[in-house]
Structure formats: structure tokens, C-alpha cells
Amino acid sequence: MILPVKKKLLIYGAGAIGRGYVPWVFPPSEYDFYYAEANKNLVDLLNKKGKFTAFKTVGNKYKKIVVPIKRCFLINEEKKILSKVDAVITAVGPRNIFTVAHNLKDITVPVVCFENDATAPEILRYLSNNQNAVFGIPDVITSNTAPDDFKRKDPLSVITEDGICYVDKKVKILGGNCRYVGEKELNKQWAAKLYLHNTPHCIAAYLASILPAKYVHEGMRHKKIKTVVAGAMKEMQNYLLLKRKLNKPFVDWYAKKELRRFSNVLLYDPVIRVAREPFRKLAANERLLGAAQLCLSAGIIPKNILIGIMAAFYYDNSDDPDRNIRYLIKSLEPRDFLKIVMRLDKGSALYTILLERWDDNLKFLKNLK
């Protein structure tokens, strides 16, 4: 019996999406896995073991697969395999996409960007001249860790949800368990993920960090936090219905699904994973300040999103790449912080309403503890 030839995948980033979710989308029975990763300790451990365990939550249970890998390279050492792979997946985070782009100049195979940034494929196409770089949307929460009993058996264990993966149909030839869709559907799914997932999800994490809680689901047990997260969700629902004209049943279904996800005790979704890099999430067109601006443009006062923004301002994690935010918020007057650090126009509605609600929102955060 002749076994079918497996396709070769090179995955940039052996973290939550790369290790936890990709093997469920591209089954190990059909694909060989090569990784490129910046964390040398993780590279060494993956190469030593030659495999890892991925768990998926299905209902109130876990489904498990053991994923063999061919090799994990330190980023920049993977160039020796690039000419031999059938496709590339990126899951390195939006800030690291520039490094990856320069390494992909000489290939023309499909490149699927599983980045939380819709501009990532465009950046890759421009910098690498690979016109087969497309956007992919994993409609899941994927943790970068697992419960202690799983980790004792395999320290490389990770957990993901059972969800749909939307990918641009231009690379349909890649196969796998994806839903290949056109631009219109991809845009709809991205709007829902950006504002009904990313916005309330990071708000849940920033509020949970104040308790402090280790996992997002622990924060969602707190009545006040759950109320703010649900309120932020409602504000974004109203915006999507008013301005984006998305279908109401779809928006309502998506919102309910997300609130259940944030409370899923099986996921062990770390607060520090979701809350990391607050400056990126506070960028002008991103999920916090950007979401609040959109609400205001639609005549919606985003009082719950404003509380989430305040929580992001006060995020305190000495190991975070954006850890200097805590020094800036403490050393500057609110109006200077908003103008100099957040680059908000003094005449803007968002600048004004943030200042007006500053003391009340800060008091709310202090009363969470």
C-alpha cells in the first residue's frame, strides 16, 4: 500500500495558535510540521521531544492529539527548508511580522497569516513580493498553556477551542479543515472578531489583572467584571448594527458565543497572554481606543469600553514588552498622558469623555480588588 505524500508546512511561531490550533486545522496525518520560533528554550524542547500534545475543548470535555514535528528552527535558521515547503503559516504576532516578511522573499507558496491584524498579509505581500500571502481568521480562543496535570505529562501541552477557521479562498489548494471564503465573508468575520471578540476579551483580561486573577475565566466569575464585559459587548453590537449593517441574528449569536468563551473553565486562558502589549491594543485604530472612537461616531456612549481602556492604562506587568505604560500613567497628569502618550487630540470627543470619567473609572478599578 502506497501512503499519500504529506504536504510540508512551515509554521512561524510555536505558541498558542501555531502549536495549539494549527494541528487541528491541518491534521498531522496529512501534513508534516516544521516550526520557526524565537524562543530558544522552546526550540530546544520541541526538538528534544519531537512532538507535543494539543487539546481541544468539545462541550465539557477535551479531545487530544499528539503532534509529531520534523524540526523546530530558530528564526532565520529555517531558510534552509523554505524552498521545500508547500505552505507557510504565520502566528508570530503583528509586531514580529516584519522579521518574517524578509525571510519569505524567495518563495511563492501560499502564506496564511493567522495574525490578529488584517494588514499583515498586505505587509507580507509588499515586503516579500509573495502575492500568495492571505489572511486567515481562527475563530477560537487558544491558550498558550494547560492545566498542571496535563503539563506534568507533557510540558508542551496547549489547549484550544473547537472553532471554525476562515481563510481567503485564493489559497484553497492548501486544503485542511478550513472554510475558504471570499473577501466579503472574510471582512464580515474580521469585523465580528475584532469588535465582538478582541475588544471585550482584552477588557476582560485587563479587569481580571486588577483582582489579580491568573486566567480570564476567573475574572469572569466576578460580577462587576462580567457586567462591564457584557456592556462593552453590547456597545460594539450596537455599532456593528448601526454602522456596519451586519445581520442582527449573526451579531447576537456571535456575542453570546464570545461571552460563553470568556467564561470557559476548560480553556485556562492566561490573563497575561490576552493583556500583553497594551500599547498595541490602545493604538488609534485598534480594539480599545479605536472601538471607543467608532462608538462615539455612531452616537453611542461607550461607558463600559472606557472602563476597559482605563484598566489597560493601569495594566501592571513587569515582564510585558509594554511595561513602561505603568510608569507613564503614574508620572504624567491624565491630560498629558492622553495627549502625549495616547496622541489624542485635545478637541476630540474621546479625549474629553476620558477626562470627564477619569476619576469615576479609576475609583471603579480600585473597588474591584
Side-chain angles (χ1 to χ4, degrees):
M1 178 180 177
I2 300 176
L3 295 175
V5 177
K6 291 185 181 182
K7 292 180 180 178
K8 295 180 177 65
L9 286 183
L10 173 63
I11 303 148
Y12 280 94
I17 292 294
R19 201 165 80 248
Y21 185 61
V22 169
W24 296 101
V25 179
F26 301 105
S29 58
E30 301 174 28
Y31 299 83
D32 281 333
F33 289 83
Y34 296 84
Y35 282 92
E37 167 62 41
N39 183 329
K40 188 177 186 305
N41 291 334
L42 181 54
V43 169
D44 292 342
L45 187 57
L46 280 165
N47 285 326
K48 179 181 178 180
K49 291 187 170 293
K51 61 183 179 180
F52 61 87
T53 309
F55 293 88
K56 180 169 69 173
T57 65
V58 181
N60 60 355
K61 296 181 179 179
Y62 292 109
K63 187 175 180 180
K64 179 180 83 169
I65 55 172
V66 175
V67 184
I69 69 166
K70 291 294 185 179
R71 177 77 185 274
C72 183
F73 300 93
L74 272 172
I75 286 183
N76 293 327
E77 293 180 355
E78 81 286 354
K79 294 176 182 178
K80 63 188 77 172
I81 196 70
L82 275 171
S83 63
K84 301 176 183 178
V85 301
D86 297 289
V88 172
I89 308 291
T90 77
V92 293
R95 287 183 176 175
N96 299 313
I97 202 69
F98 295 92
T99 301
V100 170
H102 291 294
N103 292 349
L104 299 178
K105 283 186 176 179
D106 299 323
I107 67 168
T108 58
V109 298
V111 179
V112 182
C113 299
F114 285 155
E115 308 294 347
N116 229 336
D117 186 341
T119 66
E122 184 180 354
I123 292 169
L124 278 179
R125 287 193 295 269
Y126 177 76
L127 293 177
S128 70
N129 200 30
N130 182 343
Q131 299 308 304
N132 285 321
V134 302
F135 197 33
I137 304 173
D139 184 16
V140 290
I141 293 176
T142 302
S143 173
N144 59 359
T145 188
D148 289 342
D149 54 338
F150 289 1
K151 301 282 279 187
R152 280 191 289 270
K153 294 176 182 177
D154 180 1
L156 292 166
S157 295
V158 279
I159 298 175
T160 190
E161 287 180 297
D162 185 14
I164 299 170
C165 183
Y166 297 91
V167 177
D168 192 315
K169 66 181 181 181
K170 293 174 186 174
V171 297
K172 189 174 182 179
I173 191 172
L174 182 54
N177 301 323
C178 300
R179 186 171 294 180
Y180 290 96
V181 298
E183 184 178 358
K184 183 178 179 180
E185 180 65 19
L186 207 60
N187 288 340
K188 182 183 87 169
Q189 293 296 335
W190 176 239
K193 181 165 186 181
L194 181 56
Y195 297 121
L196 296 180
H197 173 81
N198 289 353
T199 296
H201 193 208
C202 72
I203 288 173
Y206 287 124
L207 291 173
S209 73
I210 291 169
L211 294 178
K214 185 176 181 180
Y215 300 108
V216 173
H217 72 260
E218 294 172 337
M220 289 296 288
R221 290 174 183 161
H222 193 290
K223 185 177 179 180
K224 288 184 179 179
I225 290 178
K226 189 170 185 179
T227 298
V228 171
V229 173
M233 183 78 76
K234 191 65 178 177
E235 289 159 3
M236 291 317 308
Q237 285 176 261
N238 290 338
Y239 164 75
L240 291 173
L241 293 171
L242 282 170
K243 289 294 189 176
R244 296 292 182 95
K245 306 299 183 184
L246 294 190
N247 178 270
K248 189 174 188 304
F250 168 74
V251 169
D252 291 347
W253 166 81
Y254 203 105
K256 290 178 182 177
K257 166 176 68 75
E258 293 305 311
L259 288 173
R260 287 196 303 270
R261 282 177 161 176
F262 303 160
S263 302
N264 187 346
V265 299
L266 297 181
L267 274 176
Y268 289 84
D269 192 18
V271 165
I272 60 172
R273 184 191 76 83
V274 184
R276 70 188 174 200
E277 300 176 355
F279 280 133
R280 179 169 61 84
K281 295 173 172 68
L282 288 162
N285 296 317
E286 262 287 350
R287 65 203 73 181
L288 290 173
L289 294 181
Q293 292 274 32
L294 291 172
C295 285
L296 290 169
S297 73
I300 300 163
I301 304 299
K303 64 177 186 178
N304 294 286
I305 295 174
L306 294 175
I307 293 172
I309 289 170
M310 181 65 76
F313 288 167
Y314 280 87
Y315 182 55
D316 188 358
N317 179 358
S318 59
D319 295 323
D320 194 273
D322 293 348
R323 56 189 172 273
N324 58 324
I325 194 170
R326 61 178 178 157
Y327 301 114
L328 292 168
I329 195 70
K330 290 177 180 178
S331 60
L332 295 171
E333 290 294 321
R335 60 176 55 86
D336 294 326
F337 178 83
L338 294 178
K339 181 183 176 182
I340 299 169
V341 180
M342 291 296 105
R343 299 183 180 181
L344 292 179
D345 190 315
K346 287 177 66 175
S348 69
L350 183 55
Y351 176 93
T352 302
I353 198 170
L354 279 167
L355 275 185
E356 286 177 351
R357 295 175 181 247
W358 191 280
D359 291 340
D360 288 343
N361 287 343
L362 187 55
K363 182 179 179 182
F364 176 88
L365 298 184
K366 289 179 178 177
N367 289 336
L368 279 181
K369 295 186 178 181

